[in-house]
Amino acid sequence: MSTVRTDAFGTGPLSRAAALIHTLVTVEALLLLTAAPGLAGLFLLAPDPANLPLAALCLLPLGPAASAALHALHHRSRDLTALHPARAFLRGWRLGALPVLKLWAPLLAWLTVIAFTLTHFSVTGLPGWWAALLALIGTGSLLWGAHALVLTTLFTFRARDTARLAAYFLLRHPRATLGALSLLILTAAGTALLTEALPALLAAPLLLSLLHSSRPVIAETQEDFTA
C-alpha cells in the first residue's frame, strides 16, 4: 500500500516555485493586455517635451492594471492545485479601477506639470536650486503614489483618506518608503541602460517586491485603520 500523502501534493518547494512562476507570468500578461492601448500609444510618441500631456493620457490605463496585478499577487495561492491568478486579476480590476483612477489621474497630472517645468526650466528664470527641489517633490510624489496604490488596492477607503494615509506612511514606515525608492531607482536605471520597455516587461516582479516591502504599511492599516 502506498505511503505517499496525497494531501501534500502541490505544497512542496518545487510546486510553490512553479505556482509563483505561473502566477507572475499570468499576471504580467494580463497587466500588459489591459494596459496595452496606453502603452502602445506611449511607445509611438516621439521623445519630445511637448508630448508629455499625451504621455500622461497614455499612462492612465496603467493605474488600474497595476492595481489589479497587486490584488492578484496579494491573493495568490502557494498551492499548485489551487491557482486562479486570472480570476483574481479580473476581480481586482473590476473592484479597483475607479478608486485607483481617482488618485492616479491627479498624480499623473501633477507629475506632468513637474516634468514639463523641468524640461523647460531654462526659460522659467528660476534659480537652479528650484530644479533640484522640483525633482525631489516629483520623487516624493512617486513614493506617495506607491503607498496609495497599495492602500487603494487592498483596502476600501475614501480617496481623500487614502491620500492622507499614503502621506502619513511616507515617514511612519521609512523602510517601506526606502523599499519603494529602491524599486524606483532600479527601474529608472534599467530603463536608462537597457530599454524603455523594461518596466512593463518586469511589472509583475516589481509589484510583488512592492507588496513585500509594504507589509508594515499593510499590517498597521489592518490593525489601526480598519474595523
Side-chain angles (χ1 to χ4, degrees):
M1 187 172 68
S2 175
T3 60
V4 177
R5 292 180 57 189
T6 57
D7 61 347
F9 177 77
T11 60
L14 290 179
S15 294
R16 291 197 300 270
L20 175 60
I21 293 172
H22 173 78
T23 299
L24 287 174
V25 171
T26 303
V27 168
E28 179 71 32
L30 289 171
L31 186 150
L32 292 177
L33 180 63
T34 51
L39 293 178
L42 187 65
F43 287 123
L44 290 174
L45 288 177
D48 188 327
N51 288 330
L52 284 171
L54 290 177
L57 287 176
C58 290
L59 287 172
L60 273 177
L62 186 60
S67 175
L70 273 176
H71 182 273
L73 293 171
H74 180 70
H75 293 93
R76 68 186 179 91
S77 173
R78 291 165 175 79
D79 186 345
L80 191 59
T81 63
L83 296 180
H84 305 287
R87 184 186 305 172
F89 182 96
L90 294 175
R91 184 174 186 273
W93 196 96
R94 185 176 67 254
L95 294 176
L98 184 58
V100 167
L101 281 175
K102 289 180 180 179
L103 295 175
W104 182 247
L107 176 61
L108 283 178
W110 173 239
L111 291 174
T112 300
V113 170
I114 292 177
F116 194 85
T117 303
L118 288 175
T119 54
H120 296 81
F121 193 77
S122 60
V123 300
T124 63
L126 295 171
W129 60 268
W130 267 94
L133 179 61
L134 285 173
L136 183 62
I137 292 173
T139 302
S141 300
L142 286 171
L143 297 177
W144 172 88
H147 287 321
L149 179 64
V150 172
L151 292 170
T152 306
T153 299
L154 303 184
F155 303 96
T156 305
F157 297 125
R158 294 175 299 182
R160 61 176 177 267
D161 294 331
T162 301
R164 291 169 183 166
L165 277 176
Y168 167 74
F169 284 130
L170 279 175
L171 298 179
R172 170 65 176 171
H173 289 292
R175 291 184 64 180
T177 302
L178 287 175
L181 178 61
S182 66
L183 291 175
L184 179 61
I185 294 173
L186 179 64
T187 302
T191 301
L193 297 175
L194 298 175
T195 172
E196 294 178 353
L198 187 67
L201 297 176
L202 295 180
L206 289 171
L207 288 171
L208 183 61
S209 298
L210 175 63
L211 196 61
H212 179 78
S213 66
S214 299
R215 286 186 300 181
V217 171
I218 297 170
E220 182 171 340
T221 303
Q222 289 173 331
E223 182 177 349
D224 296 341
F225 298 101
T226 59

